[in-house]
């Protein structure tokens, strides 16, 4: 497709379960970001990939959060032993190059609800 | 650390009129980028306009323009001839200029804009 694709669009899990969220960036985009957006708030940065290299993971809230992009295209954000405070919309964004200042193109997000 | 403040949680405007959304930011950086993004109820974040801090000229995109005041660290968005489709959350965002890689966006809390017929 032409845009950033995220799946699933909605995910409900019980506390303690593991979840995996997928992001398919725009074809050819080098840079990929994950953001977490709590209800009524702006998105907050989680992690950044340049191709397959994870260059910045300073925003990951705990070691229960793990992201990968093994072939430099599709990325997966995994959350282990989910907790209620993990409930949020998870947004993926990609940009064409690795240079600074390029616009980021966002997907529709995955709304995660932890019961 | 950089912060972005949007002091107007909600605003409304009549169709065809003009509205200005406020944004201020705090940074010690000299080189950076500023963005306005729109997030309709459908949830996808859409880029509205982008400004490079080292350019004094204010960015414009059709009905959207900014008033960038670097010394005051202010970056307001003006929407002219408002349309019903402009109804959305609007987020102001800051990106530090990083050598050799992309920078992440730092967002404000957003302003909910309602355009009334």
């Amino acid at each position: 497709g032409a845009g950033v694709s995220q799946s699933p669009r909605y995910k409900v899990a019980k506390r303690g379960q593991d979840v995996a969220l997928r992001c398919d960036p725009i074809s050819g985009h080098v840079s990929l970001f994950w953001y977490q957006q709590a209800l009524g708030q702006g998105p907050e940065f989680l992690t950044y990939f340049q191709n397959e290299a994870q260059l910045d993971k300073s925003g990951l809230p705990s070691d229960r959060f793990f992201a990968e992009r093994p072939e430099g295209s599709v990325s997966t954000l995994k959350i282990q032993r989910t907790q209620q405070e993990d409930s949020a919309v998870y947004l993926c964004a990609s940009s064409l190059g690795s240079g600074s200042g390029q616009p980021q193109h966002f997907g529709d997000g995955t709304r995660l609800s932890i019961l | 650390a950089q912060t972005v403040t949007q002091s107007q949680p909600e605003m409304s405007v009549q169709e065809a009129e003009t509205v200005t959304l406020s944004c201020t930011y705090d940074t010690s950086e000299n080189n950076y980028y500023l963005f306005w993004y729109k997030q309709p109820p459908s949830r996808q974040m859409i880029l509205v306009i982008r400004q490079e801090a080292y350019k004094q000229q204010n960015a414009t995109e059709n009905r959207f323009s900014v008033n960038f005041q670097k010394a005051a660290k202010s970056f307001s968005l003006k929407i002219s001839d408002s349309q019903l489709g402009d109804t959305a959350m609007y987020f102001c965002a800051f990106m530090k200029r990083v050598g050799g890689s992309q920078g992440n966006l730092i967002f404000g809390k957003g302003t909910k804009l309602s355009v009334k017929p």
Side-chain angles (χ1 to χ4, degrees):
Chain A
V4 177
S5 177
Q6 291 187 247
S7 60
R9 189 159 170 82
Y10 301 92
K11 176 70 178 177
V12 179
K14 292 183 179 178
R15 189 175 57 181
Q17 288 183 332
D18 298 349
V19 298
L21 313 180
R22 176 188 168 104
C23 172
D24 202 339
I26 295 172
S27 178
H29 277 200
V30 167
S31 297
L32 185 146
F33 296 81
W34 285 98
Y35 294 87
Q36 180 189 59
Q37 186 175 20
L39 189 64
Q41 303 293 317
E44 292 191 353
F45 168 73
L46 294 176
T47 188
Y48 162 55
F49 290 86
Q50 188 178 110
N51 295 306
E52 69 279 4
Q54 189 174 21
L55 297 188
D56 188 348
K57 54 182 181 179
S58 63
L60 296 177
S62 77
D63 58 7
R64 297 186 296 104
F65 286 71
F66 171 76
E68 60 183 4
R69 193 185 185 198
E71 297 179 0
S73 55
V74 171
S75 176
T76 304
L77 176 66
K78 298 179 179 178
I79 309 173
Q80 298 176 325
R81 305 181 303 281
T82 52
Q83 300 177 6
Q84 283 194 320
E85 60 262 32
D86 299 336
S87 296
V89 174
Y90 290 85
L91 296 171
C92 177
S94 70
S95 63
L96 179 60
S98 58
S100 197
Q102 297 189 26
Q104 296 178 19
H105 303 269
F106 285 80
D108 287 343
T110 294
R111 182 180 298 279
L112 176 64
S113 298
I114 305 300
L115 305 179
Chain B
Q2 291 80 28
T3 58
V4 176
T5 301
Q6 293 180 249
S7 59
Q8 306 151 315
E10 293 192 38
M11 292 193 72
S12 65
V13 63
Q14 291 295 129
E15 197 176 4
E17 294 188 346
T18 296
V19 64
T20 299
L21 308 184
S22 300
C23 172
T24 59
Y25 57 94
D26 188 23
T27 185
S28 59
E29 303 287 333
N30 192 45
N31 292 323
Y32 50 87
Y33 305 87
L34 295 163
F35 302 82
W36 278 97
Y37 277 87
K38 165 186 176 181
Q39 189 176 43
S42 63
R43 210 164 70 207
Q44 187 174 56
M45 196 81 73
I46 301 165
L47 176 67
V48 174
I49 202 162
R50 172 181 176 271
Q51 175 78 42
E52 299 170 1
Y54 55 88
K55 288 187 176 179
Q56 293 187 343
Q57 187 171 5
N58 289 323
T60 62
E61 284 289 340
N62 301 314
R63 298 182 296 108
F64 300 88
S65 62
V66 298
N67 183 3
F68 174 48
Q69 302 289 329
K70 190 172 184 180
K73 295 180 183 175
S74 171
F75 184 61
S76 61
L77 175 70
K78 185 171 83 171
I79 306 174
S80 304
D81 186 26
S82 296
Q83 301 176 1
L84 296 177
D86 295 334
T87 293
M89 283 289 288
Y90 285 80
F91 292 97
C92 178
F94 173 98
M95 180 193 291
K96 185 171 68 173
R97 185 178 175 92
V98 179
S101 75
Q102 265 277 28
N104 59 280
L105 291 164
I106 298 168
F107 288 88
K109 291 190 174 183
T111 296
K112 184 177 181 180
L113 177 67
S114 299
V115 179
K116 300 186 184 303

